[in-house]
C-alpha cells in the first residue's frame, strides 16, 4: 500500500491517493509511515526527475497537489500523535520570493502535534510581516522555510529585523538548500527535517 501511495504521487493520481491513504489508515499503517514511506518517497522521485529534466514545473505541481491531498487525510492523526500540552506559540512561513509550502506545512503540523500553537503565515512572506506578526501575536518562535538558494538569504533580513526591533522571539530555519553553518552565520537555529525541528524547538 505504501508503494501504491508513492506511485500515486509520482503519477499525479490525485483521486487514487485518497483511496490508498484511506485504505492504509484503515489497515493500521501509521500516519508517520504513510508520510515517510509513501508521500515523501513519491515526491523525492519527482524531485530527482525534475533535476534531470525528465519532468517540468506542471508535473511537479501536479505531484505536489497529489501529496497535499494525501497530507490532508493524515493531518489529524499526525497532529494527534504528539502530546497536547501547550508549549508555546509559533509563527511559520515561507520567505519572500519563495512559493514552496509542503515542507513548511509539514513542520507546522509536527509542531502542532508536539503541543505548540502554530500560526501559518503562508508563502512569499516579507521580513517586515514576519516581524510585525511576531510582535502582534507575541510569539515565542519565528519559523522560516526556504527551498531556493536565491531566497534563503531573506532569512537574514528577518533575523536582523527581529534584533533591531528588540523582538525576543527565537528564529528557527529550515529547507533543502540550508546548512547548519548557514543558519549559524545568520544567528538562527537550524533543523534538517520536520522530526528534528520538533526536537530542536523542545530543546529551546
Ligand atoms: Co521547486 N524547486 N521550484 N517547485 N521544487 C526545488 C526546491 C528544487 C530543489 C528542484 C530541483 O531543481 N531539483 C529547485 C531549487 C534549486 C535551488 O535553488 N537550489 C526548485 C526550483 C528551481 C523551482 C523553480 C524556480 C522552478 C521554475 O519555475 N523554473 C520554481 C520556484 C517558484 C518559487 O518558489 N518562486 C519552483 C516551483 C515549484 C512548484 C510550485 C512547482 C512546486 C511547489 C509546490 C508547493 O510547495 N505547493 C515545487 C516542488 C514541489 C519542488 C520539489 C520537487 C519538492 C519540494 C517538496 O515539497 N519536498 C523540490 C525538489 C526536492 O526538494 N526534491 C523543488 C517535500 C517536502 C516534504 O520536503 O520541502 O524539503 P521539503 O521540507 C522538508 C525539509 O526541507 C525541512 O523539513 C521538511 C519536512 O521534512 N524543512 C524545515 C522545510 N522547512 C523547514 C523549516 C524548519 C525546519 C525544517 O524550521 C522552521
Amino acid at each position: 500500500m505504501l508503494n501504491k501511495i508513492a506511485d500515486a504521487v509520482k503519477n499525479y493520481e490525485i483521486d487514487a491517493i485518497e483511496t490508498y491513504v484511506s485504505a492504509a489508515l484503515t489497515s493500521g499503517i501509521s500516519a508517520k509511515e504513510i508520510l515517510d514511506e509513501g508521500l515523501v518517497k513519491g515526491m523525492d522521485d519527482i524531485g530527482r526527475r525534475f533535476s534531470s529534466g525528465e519532468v517540468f514545473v506542471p508535473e511537479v505541481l501536479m505531484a505536489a497537489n497529489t501529496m497535499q491531498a494525501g497530507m490532508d487525510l493524515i493531518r489529524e492523526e499526525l497532529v494527534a500523535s504528539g502530546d497536547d500540552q501547550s508549549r508555546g506559540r509559533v509563527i511559520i512561513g515561507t520567505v519572500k520570493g519563495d512559493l514552496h509550502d509542503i515542507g513548511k506545512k509539514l513542520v507546522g503540523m509536527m509542531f502542532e502535534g508536539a503541543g505548540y500553537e502554530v500560526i501559518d503565515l503562508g508563502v512569499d512572506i516579507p521580513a517586515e510581516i514576519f516581524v510585525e506578526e511576531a510582535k502582534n501575536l507575541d510569539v515565542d518562535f519565528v519559523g522560516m522555510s526556504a527551498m531556493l538558494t536565491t531566497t534563503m538569504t531573506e532569512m537574514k533580513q528577518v533575523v536582523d529585523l527581529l534584533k533591531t526591533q528588540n523582538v525576543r522571539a527565537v528564529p528557527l530555519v529550515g529547507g533543502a538548500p540550508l546548512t547548519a553553518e548557514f543558519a549559524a552565520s545568520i544567528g538562527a537555529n537550524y533543523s534538517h527535517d520536520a522530526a528534528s525541528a520538533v526536537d530542536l524547538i523542545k530543546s529551546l
Side-chain angles (χ1 to χ4, degrees):
M1 191 54 73
L2 292 171
N3 286 338
K4 281 189 177 168
I5 292 171
D7 287 346
V9 174
K10 284 184 215 170
N11 299 321
Y12 341 114
E13 296 171 51
I14 198 156
D15 294 330
I17 198 98
E18 295 183 4
T19 310
Y20 297 146
V21 171
S22 303
L25 286 171
T26 309
S27 71
I29 300 176
S30 72
K32 181 88 175 58
E33 274 177 292
I34 294 172
L35 180 66
D36 292 341
E37 304 301 322
L39 300 171
V40 170
K41 221 169 163 184
M43 187 54 86
D44 279 349
D45 181 83
I46 288 288
R48 274 193 296 275
R49 287 197 281 149
F50 184 51
S51 303
S52 63
E54 282 172 70
V55 296
F56 301 96
V57 171
E59 286 89 351
V60 177
L61 202 48
M62 287 191 288
N65 288 340
T66 309
M67 177 164 179
Q68 300 246 16
M71 272 169 48
D72 286 346
L73 297 173
I74 58 171
R75 184 176 200 284
E76 208 172 301
E77 188 183 317
L78 211 55
V79 170
S81 61
D83 56 56
D84 56 4
Q85 202 189 340
S86 180
R87 290 171 184 267
R89 188 178 290 169
V90 190
I91 50 171
I92 190 163
T94 306
V95 298
K96 186 175 159 190
D98 201 322
L99 303 174
H100 295 86
D101 71 350
I102 298 176
K104 181 254 310 168
K105 280 187 181 165
L106 202 49
V107 173
M109 276 184 209
M110 298 288 277
F111 283 165
E112 265 190 81
Y116 293 83
E117 185 189 346
V118 177
I119 299 112
D120 190 335
L121 301 180
V123 297
D124 192 16
I125 304 299
E128 296 74 20
I129 301 292
F130 273 108
V131 176
E132 203 179 299
E133 292 299 327
K135 282 195 278 190
N136 289 344
L137 299 165
D138 190 23
V139 300
D140 304 290
F141 299 96
V142 174
M144 290 164 262
S145 183
M147 290 295 287
L148 301 170
T149 39
T150 48
T151 58
M152 59 192 248
T153 46
E154 280 295 320
M155 292 171 159
K156 181 167 167 19
Q157 318 294 329
V158 179
V159 175
D160 289 350
L161 208 52
L162 286 171
K163 273 192 209 138
T164 53
Q165 299 209 6
N166 288 322
V167 182
R168 65 173 186 96
V170 178
L172 307 172
V173 295
L178 272 74
T179 60
E181 291 71 31
F182 169 77
S185 78
I186 63 166
N189 301 278
Y190 167 76
S191 43
H192 171 71
D193 58 21
S196 52
V198 171
D199 294 338
L200 175 70
I201 198 170
K202 282 182 177 172
S203 74
L204 292 167

